[in-house]
Amino acid sequence: MSNAAEIASRISVLRRRPASQAPGGGSALRGGSLTIADQVIASGTTFATSVLIGRTCSKEEFGLYMLGFSVLTFLMTIQGSLISTPYMIYYPRTEENHRPRFTGSALLFQLTLGVIVALLIVVGAFIAWQLQPTSGMTGMLLALGIAISFLLLRDFIRQVCFAQFEVSRAVAFDASVAAWQLGALGILAIAGALNASSELLALGSACAVGSLGWYWSRRAAIAIHLPSAKGDLALAWSSGKWLFASGLVWSISMNLYAWLIVGFHGAASVGAWGVALGTVTLLNPLILGLQNYLGPHIMHAYARGGVEQLARTVLKSSLTYAGSLLLFSAVLFLAGDFLVVLLYGPKYAGSGLLVALLSINLVFVALGFCLSRGLFAMEEASLDFRVNFVALAAMLVLGIGFARAYGPMGAALGQIAASASAAVVRVAVFILAFRRAQGARACT
């Protein structure tokens, strides 16, 4: 069967999901509450890890941890673009009897991606060793290369659970990972062996154990079928290529700052950047919980009611998400420095303004998230890709210079410039795409 025929075959099993099949009313409220609870577990574990590293290790070691974390964040964005978001888009439209194979295909793509990035990071560790044999960068990259496949697999599993509205399963999965991870980190801290490398290995082992447990419990609902996988890959790539390009441009625009800071000002400055980011992650249960809840519902809104219901859902989601973060940003403006000292110690005093700026950036990111998911649902990812060049241009024109001149504070200003300009343009692009979709439907 040709690639075109395979794509047509896979699309033929897609359909709009009736509204009765989507959560509503009390079940939606319960799902939202469970999503927030799950994110409290996941973000709380990441936050506790950050505080433990920040208090136990030197600024330089914490800076290495933040560099590794920035690589993970970048790869999670790429993974979401290539695998998780296409899965979230097409899963609601896939016939029931095809869903196990569709999930199995996504899992196969995920495992392949994990192996590829692991090999690339190990190569990066070898290059770092050749350039600076005594640098801690080599050990951190090697540990990251060993752990990265399992770290990415954890995020993929969570997104599968949210796409299927199995939030209670996500809660159980994250709780098991958190218990293993915090236990391993506690043992390392007591033994005096906690550093960026050992922390990454502990995280990888926790994700590996949790992922095996998830697969065993869900093995009956997962069917890896290579002939189907080929068609599923072609279908995912039909929109995923734009999601990948969009995610790549956005990640460079947002996640390169830690590496700019270490290049201009050294690893200790990355540590200061890291504690400010760590303090802002106090909002992560709200931020990521809302993303995990709103993202699938935006996709399902289009599957149920077309562009009109999609537009209403995007507007309501944007107001809820950005408005909530704006309220919490006001709190961080007042209490940011107090929280940094309380959590990470007096050696990081004076970081309050940096925390406040990073929290303001999240408001614009929240607005862009909802609009972006609306474009993805309308299969207009190519437009979202083009909008992200606005953020990239802002980073190149302003962000690099700000980071070089003002260190972490300049990097935060660069992020705000990038995310705010992209959000404004994305609003206009979404309105144009919505009107075009309405006009196309009227002509049919």
Side-chain angles (χ1 to χ4, degrees):
M1 184 182 290
S2 68
N3 288 339
E6 287 173 341
I7 295 172
S9 175
R10 300 305 297 164
I11 292 177
S12 69
V13 303
L14 301 180
R15 60 181 173 82
R16 284 188 177 175
R17 193 178 185 184
S20 61
Q21 289 181 271
S27 62
L29 179 61
R30 179 176 178 272
S33 301
L34 280 175
T35 303
I36 298 294
D38 172 77
Q39 199 57 55
V40 168
I41 296 172
S43 297
T45 306
T46 301
F47 178 72
T49 299
S50 169
V51 171
L52 188 59
I53 295 282
R55 281 191 166 272
T56 304
C57 303
S58 65
K59 288 184 177 181
E60 289 76 11
E61 195 67 35
F62 187 68
L64 288 173
Y65 162 74
M66 287 306 303
L67 290 173
F69 192 79
S70 72
V71 173
L72 173 61
T73 303
F74 173 79
L75 291 174
M76 285 172 61
T77 302
I78 299 304
Q79 168 188 284
S81 302
L82 283 174
I83 302 170
S84 300
T85 302
Y87 180 84
M88 191 178 295
I89 291 171
Y90 291 116
Y91 181 82
R93 312 180 207 175
T94 304
E95 296 286 355
E96 294 286 346
N97 61 324
H98 287 86
R99 288 181 176 177
R101 289 186 178 180
F102 193 63
T103 302
S105 297
L107 178 60
L108 183 62
F109 306 154
Q110 172 62 41
L111 296 175
T112 303
L113 176 65
V115 171
I116 292 172
V117 298
L119 292 175
L120 291 175
I121 292 174
V122 170
V123 171
F126 176 76
I127 294 173
W129 176 71
Q130 290 289 320
L131 295 174
Q132 289 184 304
T134 60
S135 171
M137 183 75 71
T138 300
M140 184 275 289
L141 288 175
L142 183 60
L144 182 62
I146 294 171
I148 192 65
S149 297
F150 303 111
L151 297 174
L152 294 175
L153 182 59
R154 177 196 182 182
D155 185 67
F156 166 78
I157 290 172
R158 297 180 73 243
Q159 298 308 315
V160 167
C161 291
F162 296 134
Q164 298 178 359
F165 290 135
E166 293 185 337
V167 185
S168 60
R169 194 177 296 276
V171 172
F173 171 69
D174 278 326
S176 66
V177 172
W180 183 285
Q181 177 176 325
L182 294 177
L185 291 175
I187 293 172
L188 290 171
I190 293 172
L194 184 62
N195 54 40
S197 300
S198 61
E199 180 271 341
L200 288 169
L201 292 175
L203 265 63
S205 67
C207 293
V209 172
S211 298
L212 286 173
W214 171 83
Y215 178 77
W216 182 257
S217 68
R218 296 293 292 157
R219 64 191 186 279
I222 301 171
I224 296 179
H225 184 250
L226 292 181
S228 296
K230 185 178 179 182
D232 290 333
L233 176 60
L235 175 63
W237 182 247
S238 66
S239 62
K241 62 179 181 290
W242 292 112
L243 300 177
F244 168 71
S246 181
L248 180 63
V249 174
W250 181 258
S251 294
I252 293 173
S253 304
M254 291 290 120
N255 296 322
L256 194 61
Y257 286 100
W259 294 90
L260 292 174
I261 295 170
V262 75
F264 292 134
H265 302 281
S269 292
V270 182
W273 171 260
V275 298
L277 279 177
T279 304
V280 172
T281 60
L282 286 169
L283 300 178
N284 269 8
L286 175 67
I287 295 169
L288 299 179
L290 283 172
Q291 284 187 4
N292 291 332
Y293 180 73
L294 295 175
H297 278 265
I298 289 172
M299 302 301 175
H300 281 262
Y302 181 74
R304 293 194 309 270
V307 291
E308 284 80 8
Q309 186 164 345
L310 173 69
R312 290 192 295 269
T313 302
V314 168
L315 175 60
K316 182 179 179 180
S317 300
S318 299
L319 294 174
T320 300
Y321 193 8
S324 300
L325 289 181
L326 185 61
L327 177 63
F328 281 96
S329 293
V331 175
L332 290 180
F333 259 105
L334 300 174
D337 195 58
F338 169 77
L339 290 172
V340 168
V341 174
L342 177 66
L343 296 169
Y344 294 95
K347 61 184 175 182
Y348 293 107
S351 301
L353 181 57
L354 179 58
V355 171
L357 291 175
L358 290 173
S359 68
I360 285 294
N361 176 64
L362 294 178
V363 177
F364 294 108
V365 171
L367 179 60
F369 171 83
C370 296
L371 293 164
S372 178
R373 292 307 179 272
L375 290 172
F376 292 167
M378 289 187 286
E379 300 189 28
E380 294 283 7
S382 62
L383 295 178
D384 189 76
F385 164 64
R386 294 180 176 92
V387 172
N388 283 339
F389 276 100
V390 175
L392 179 61
M395 188 272 289
L396 294 175
V397 174
L398 299 173
I400 295 176
F402 284 171
R404 182 173 184 176
Y406 305 111
M409 199 74 68
L413 291 172
Q415 279 197 337
I416 291 174
S419 57
S421 58
V424 171
V425 175
R426 194 170 270 113
V427 169
V429 169
F430 180 83
I431 293 173
L432 290 174
F434 169 72
R435 290 176 177 173
R436 184 167 65 186
Q438 278 188 315
R441 192 183 65 174
C443 293
T444 57

